[in-house]
Amino acid sequence: MTQGAARKPNRRGEGTRLRADIFAAAAALIEETGSEQDVTLREIARRVGIAAPSIYEHFPSREAIVDAVLDAGFAELRAAVEQALASQADPWARLRAGCAAYLNFAAQRPGQYRILFGRRLHLTGRLAAAGDETFGLLVTALRDCAAAGQCATDDPTADATVIWLALHGYATLHPSLPGFAWPSLPAVLDRILSRYAPAGPAGHTP
Amino acid sequence: MTQGAARKPNRRGEGTRLRADIFAAAAALIEETGSEQDVTLREIARRVGIAAPSIYEHFPSREAIVDAVLDAGFAELRAAVEQALASQADPWARLRAGCAAYLNFAAQRPGQYRILFGRRLHLTGRLAAAGDETFGLLVTALRDCAAAGQCATDDPTADATVIWLALHGYATLHPSLPGFAWPSLPAVLDRILSRYAPAGPAGHTP
DNA sequence: TGTACATCAGTGAACGCGCGTTCACTGATGTAC
DNA sequence: TGTACATCAGTGAACGCGCGTTCACTGATGTAC
């Protein structure tokens, strides 16, 4: 409006849109290939329909694009779990909803999930902290169940770890081995959690 | 000894030895990188100390080397589990020993384990059959425990699946996230299995 | 309203690299006589 | 025992490829006057 100090008109709105297109193409490629290395700068450019060097207006390197997608994916996973937890009042229903959200994310984005938790060195720095916080959500949910008398655990952290291991196992193996006779997602989830339920359908004592 | 029809003297014994050296270098590279794509034919040749084309005397392609290593790794994993099962008479001890052998293999060869179960299309054909048989060992061990009254399960296949998911989760996450506060391997194994024990240390009912 | 100009998103050509694979070869090894 | 020869494991040079990145550029857009 004012006529002084007008800079960066950001013409045609393309600046933002192209960046978003590049990001989306990279996310799709990550999902399709399930491999960081197969997400090449030139293939991204091909899909967006631009010349490869045009990407450098918006990202400093190929690696930065992949990192941006994975950072967003991690944030999305965490947000999905938090939203699921907030949607339920009953502690046991909260625990189950949080775990279901975790498995649903992995089922919808198997390639992205694989890379997120498959990289060797990626989860350092702020991502490591974010991961610890997400795991903390599970520990808290389990502890709340125990406090409400809805859950059998003598060590919520250790049992949350085992639950997470099983969730992660399903998240990665299910897409990898389509030939295996998998139970459905809810059936697997019930069976993972039933051992911690006070009177779960499968939690007998002989 | 006889002088007729003497062919393929296989001179200097190098024919066999070089093949073994190539195989060993590829196995070491797979373990170090944890990635199929990073195992390049030229890097293998560099490590063995030969010219790259020399490899073609012993393997038809780069991919064939990787496949040979992974096939051997899979066979080794299965043999380790079978040997552990055979070493114990008591059904519960058998189950635990088999699972421990599985986790020990993964702990000793994390990179190889990751690739073995991380590939999308690899486990087809005879490898899929071998995988199903290995999983069958776990189902049988669990069923034997139940038959001996040492184990609480209403569905050995489903519970074996959950146990396998947790084993696989530990096998892949533990090397990936060295910063996480992991319990020790035996502690994790005990906690995974304790829920199925008739009077396990953590298997209370409130 | 019309013209000269600055801006800057996107381009095309080129670079050096490591890769898998091919090909004609070399040179030590063991055999035939 | 000595010599000519066949064998064949391993080599060096070269190929075509796709990659990430650089660089000087172009050409439409919006602004100043």
Side-chain angles (χ1 to χ4, degrees):
Chain A
M1 306 297 186
T2 58
Q3 51 207 46
R7 22 177 157 158
K8 281 194 182 176
N10 207 0
R11 312 191 185 172
R12 284 172 51 198
E14 289 294 309
T16 301
R17 165 164 241 145
L18 183 52
R19 195 195 140 93
D21 287 351
I22 292 166
F23 182 96
L29 256 172
I30 279 183
E31 193 47 55
E32 284 171 36
T33 66
S35 149
E36 285 183 71
Q37 312 192 54
D38 291 343
V39 181
T40 67
L41 192 128
R42 294 181 111 113
E43 179 61 21
I44 293 170
R46 250 174 252 130
R47 292 191 171 207
V48 175
I50 56 174
S54 304
I55 288 177
Y56 288 94
E57 288 294 311
H58 302 281
F59 293 93
S61 67
R62 183 200 79 99
E63 208 187 358
I65 309 172
V66 174
D67 283 351
V69 171
L70 294 182
D71 279 13
F74 204 94
E76 218 179 313
L77 168 60
R78 188 180 166 184
V81 170
E82 279 178 338
Q83 186 178 328
L85 289 173
S87 75
Q88 302 288 329
D90 178 68
W92 180 261
R94 278 236 310 273
L95 174 64
R96 193 184 189 286
C99 292
Y102 190 94
L103 288 186
N104 279 326
F105 176 91
Q108 276 160 15
R109 293 170 146 72
Q112 201 159 327
Y113 181 90
R114 177 197 306 282
I115 297 174
L116 269 180
F117 289 96
R119 303 173 114 192
R120 286 210 187 239
L121 304 166
H122 190 250
L123 293 180
T124 54
R126 75 177 193 290
L127 261 186
D132 281 353
E133 281 175 47
T134 306
F135 176 70
L137 296 175
L138 175 58
V139 176
T140 301
L142 192 63
R143 211 192 304 273
D144 290 350
C145 283
Q150 288 184 311
C151 183
T153 174
D154 63 339
D155 184 341
T157 302
D159 282 329
T161 301
V162 170
I163 291 172
W164 179 42
L165 292 179
L167 295 178
H168 175 77
Y170 186 75
T172 53
L173 282 175
H174 181 242
S176 268
L177 299 175
F180 188 81
W182 292 108
S184 70
L185 191 152
V188 166
L189 178 55
D190 280 338
R191 203 152 270 274
I192 290 172
L193 292 179
S194 68
R195 290 284 161 175
Y196 301 92
H204 310 306
T205 325
Chain B
M1 305 300 187
T2 58
Q3 51 209 48
R7 22 176 157 158
K8 282 196 181 176
N10 205 0
R11 314 193 183 170
R12 285 172 51 200
E14 287 296 307
T16 301
R17 164 164 243 146
L18 183 50
R19 196 195 139 94
D21 287 352
I22 292 166
F23 182 96
L29 256 172
I30 280 184
E31 192 47 55
E32 283 171 37
T33 65
S35 150
E36 285 184 72
Q37 312 193 54
D38 292 344
V39 180
T40 66
L41 192 129
R42 294 180 112 112
E43 178 61 22
I44 293 170
R46 252 174 250 128
R47 293 192 171 206
V48 174
I50 54 173
S54 304
I55 288 176
Y56 288 93
E57 286 296 310
H58 303 282
F59 293 93
S61 68
R62 183 200 79 99
E63 208 187 359
I65 309 172
V66 173
D67 283 351
V69 171
L70 294 182
D71 278 13
F74 204 93
E76 219 178 313
L77 167 60
R78 188 179 167 186
V81 170
E82 280 180 336
Q83 186 177 328
L85 289 173
S87 75
Q88 302 287 330
D90 178 68
W92 181 260
R94 275 236 311 272
L95 175 64
R96 192 183 190 286
C99 293
Y102 190 95
L103 289 186
N104 279 327
F105 177 90
Q108 275 160 16
R109 294 170 145 71
Q112 201 160 327
Y113 181 90
R114 176 198 307 281
I115 299 174
L116 228 31
F117 289 95
R119 302 173 117 192
R120 286 207 187 241
L121 303 167
H122 190 249
L123 294 180
T124 53
R126 76 177 191 290
L127 261 186
D132 280 354
E133 281 176 46
T134 306
F135 176 70
L137 296 175
L138 175 57
V139 176
T140 301
L142 193 63
R143 209 191 306 272
D144 289 350
C145 283
Q150 290 184 309
C151 183
T153 174
D154 63 338
D155 185 339
T157 301
D159 282 329
T161 301
V162 170
I163 291 172
W164 179 42
L165 292 179
L167 295 178
H168 176 76
Y170 185 76
T172 53
L173 283 175
H174 181 243
S176 269
L177 299 174
F180 188 81
W182 292 107
S184 69
L185 191 151
V188 166
L189 178 56
D190 280 338
R191 203 153 270 275
I192 291 172
L193 292 180
S194 68
R195 291 283 161 176
Y196 302 92
H204 310 309
T205 325

